[in-house]
Amino acid sequence: MISLEKTFELQKRGSTVRQEIIAGLTTFLAMVYSVIVVPNMLSTAGFPAESVFIATCLVAGLGSILIGLWANAPMAIGCAISLTAFTAFSLVIGQGVSIPVALGAVFLMGVVFTLISATGIRAWILRNLPSSIAQGAGIGIGLFLLLIAANGVSLVVSNQAGLPVKLGDFTSFPVMMSLIGLAFIVGLEKMQVKGGILWVIIAITIVGIIFDPNVKFSGEVFKTPTFGENSLFLQLDLQGALQPAILPVVFALVMTAVFDATGTIRAVAGQANLLDKDGQIINGGKALTSDSVSSLFSGLFGTAPAAVYIESAAGTASGGKTGITAIVVGVLFLLMLFFQPLAFLVPGYATAPALMYVGLLMLSNVSKLDFDDFVGAMSGLICAVFIVLTANIVTGIMLGFAALVIGRIVSGDIKRLNLGTVLISIALVAFYAGGWAI
């Protein structure tokens, strides 16, 4: 206990081992749905689900333990849902990038991302990221997740004429289960039921086993962890990812990860009171680097890029203040490796409500926009709207930055611009003007 006190500063931060374990369990229950959702999403792009499940558990387990031990932060790491969507729907399906090359791009992104974090560039970006753009990106990613989930169960489908989408078959079993599941999640979260998302996924899966002939339970619960016959472990194609045509993909992944994940760490640290007197994250450099190193694991094991999960806030709200919280989460994810059959039993319409709920939760960023700063608020909304309209996170961020800089100049409010914001804006616009965007 003395060693734990010294290593994790329990007394200094006002916590106990029991409190940290409870917080870790809470965070795990809040984000364990990811080991079901991530394989489901990537499998639509041709990734073997069995291999992705193992990789996702390993990334979450090792990444969370790393940030807990090294940064002493109560933050859990997992495969980011937004970056999973980026990998599956933008890279592999949208751009036709092969899976090995996509994994090579993820690994290279992790290398660049780690260098950016270790050298302080990421912290500099965090200091120069306008709050309105950060909040707008959160709103847009939320809308993007809603669209992906709704389309996945055919709640909305492509429209051959007029606007791009229309309502699907409202009375179909997957659509009804998804909407009922979403309503249940909202109700359970309102009642603060621990692991409400997970319980809904389990309940809908049971209903599917009973009423859906496509969902069949083999009777197997435990299984020795294996990547399967179509293993993606060490199958990344680095040479292919280094081709000039693919390097913009790496850059786009880096840009997406920087703006998508960095704000999450700042938000969780703020809730856990882990900010110093200057408003900077305590052990922020180590936390940021742990986050980026985890994406190296992603490329090696064969899954989507990693990031600190916003669900970490569930644990910090339960009293998590040290790295013990993250270590508990990591150990639990490693134990999940043995429950592979149960994860594959889950139908898409059981995980869709979780994606929809996370998306809706991210829309709460609208309330954080300062409409007294009209240019800032509108730039944030431009960022949000064009993320979902273009199905590309970086595109929305680029347009938001451009609108902010131009809007400030036109309105005579140039004094509110800093050099960092202008440089980031120029870099993003040049990225698109040069035709390197994906």
Side-chain angles (χ1 to χ4, degrees), residues 4-172:
L4 285 176
E5 164 59 38
K6 183 179 179 180
T7 303
F8 297 101
E9 303 178 328
L10 285 165
Q11 188 173 358
K12 181 180 178 181
R13 297 192 182 185
S15 187
T16 64
V17 173
R18 179 179 180 276
Q19 184 173 309
E20 294 295 312
I21 291 174
I22 291 173
L25 285 167
T26 302
T27 297
F28 174 75
L29 287 173
M31 64 178 284
V32 68
Y33 69 89
S34 63
V35 302
I36 301 170
V37 173
V38 171
N40 276 2
M41 291 177 72
L42 290 180
S43 65
T44 62
F47 287 70
E50 187 175 10
S51 181
V52 172
F53 172 83
I54 297 296
T56 302
C57 289
L58 287 172
V59 168
L62 298 178
S64 297
I65 290 172
L66 174 64
I67 197 170
L69 284 174
W70 193 36
N72 193 21
M75 304 174 189
I77 288 175
C79 294
I81 300 298
S82 56
L83 296 179
T84 301
F86 189 106
T87 304
F89 299 101
S90 186
L91 296 191
V92 179
I93 295 176
Q95 302 299 316
V97 175
S98 71
I99 291 173
V101 171
L103 292 176
V106 169
F107 182 83
L108 288 179
M109 180 275 279
V111 172
V112 176
F113 204 14
T114 301
L115 291 174
I116 286 175
S117 298
T119 56
I121 296 174
R122 186 177 179 186
W124 176 81
I125 291 174
L126 182 59
R127 289 194 298 271
N128 289 280
L129 176 62
S131 60
S132 59
I133 301 298
Q135 286 144 10
I139 297 165
I141 292 166
L143 288 169
F144 192 26
L145 289 178
L146 277 167
L147 179 61
I148 290 169
N151 180 249
V153 295
S154 297
L155 174 56
V156 295
V157 296
S158 61
N159 192 6
Q160 301 304 316
L163 295 175
V165 296
K166 64 179 181 179
L167 179 67
D169 184 359
F170 178 71
T171 59
S172 70

Side-chain angles (χ1 to χ4, degrees), residues 53-334:
F53 172 83
I54 297 296
T56 302
C57 289
L58 287 172
V59 168
L62 298 178
S64 297
I65 290 172
L66 174 64
I67 197 170
L69 284 174
W70 193 36
N72 193 21
M75 304 174 189
I77 288 175
C79 294
I81 300 298
S82 56
L83 296 179
T84 301
F86 189 106
T87 304
F89 299 101
S90 186
L91 296 191
V92 179
I93 295 176
Q95 302 299 316
V97 175
S98 71
I99 291 173
V101 171
L103 292 176
V106 169
F107 182 83
L108 288 179
M109 180 275 279
V111 172
V112 176
F113 204 14
T114 301
L115 291 174
I116 286 175
S117 298
T119 56
I121 296 174
R122 186 177 179 186
W124 176 81
I125 291 174
L126 182 59
R127 289 194 298 271
N128 289 280
L129 176 62
S131 60
S132 59
I133 301 298
Q135 286 144 10
I139 297 165
I141 292 166
L143 288 169
F144 192 26
L145 289 178
L146 277 167
L147 179 61
I148 290 169
N151 180 249
V153 295
S154 297
L155 174 56
V156 295
V157 296
S158 61
N159 192 6
Q160 301 304 316
L163 295 175
V165 296
K166 64 179 181 179
L167 179 67
D169 184 359
F170 178 71
T171 59
S172 70
F173 189 76
V175 168
M176 295 303 294
M177 285 295 97
S178 298
L179 293 176
I180 291 171
L182 176 60
F184 266 88
I185 288 176
V186 171
L188 292 174
E189 291 296 309
K190 165 66 176 175
M191 296 167 62
Q192 298 184 340
V193 175
K194 297 291 189 296
I197 294 176
L198 178 62
W199 300 130
V200 169
I201 291 175
I202 292 171
I204 294 179
T205 300
I206 292 172
V207 172
I209 292 171
I210 298 171
F211 297 104
D212 186 350
N214 296 314
V215 182
K216 299 175 182 178
F217 179 44
S218 65
E220 191 177 18
V221 176
F222 304 101
K223 183 179 179 181
T224 303
T226 173
F227 282 96
E229 294 181 1
N230 299 311
S231 171
L232 292 178
F233 179 58
L234 296 181
Q235 293 302 304
L236 63 166
D237 182 358
L238 283 175
Q239 186 173 356
L242 285 169
Q243 293 176 4
I246 301 299
L247 287 178
V249 171
V250 177
F251 184 68
L253 274 170
V254 171
M255 294 301 297
T256 303
V258 166
F259 292 106
D260 186 8
T262 304
T264 300
I265 291 181
R266 177 65 173 74
V268 174
Q271 188 185 54
N273 293 319
L274 293 179
L275 302 177
D276 60 23
K277 56 184 175 57
D278 298 319
Q280 298 302 308
I281 304 167
I282 296 173
N283 290 336
K286 291 181 178 179
L288 291 168
T289 306
S290 299
D291 176 44
S292 52
V293 165
S294 297
S295 285
L296 294 174
F297 299 155
S298 296
L300 292 172
F301 293 139
T303 187
V308 167
Y309 258 58
I310 191 62
E311 283 82 358
S312 299
T316 55
S318 298
K321 298 179 184 297
T322 77
I324 295 175
T325 294
I327 293 169
V328 169
V329 174
V331 170
L332 290 171
F333 268 110
L334 293 180

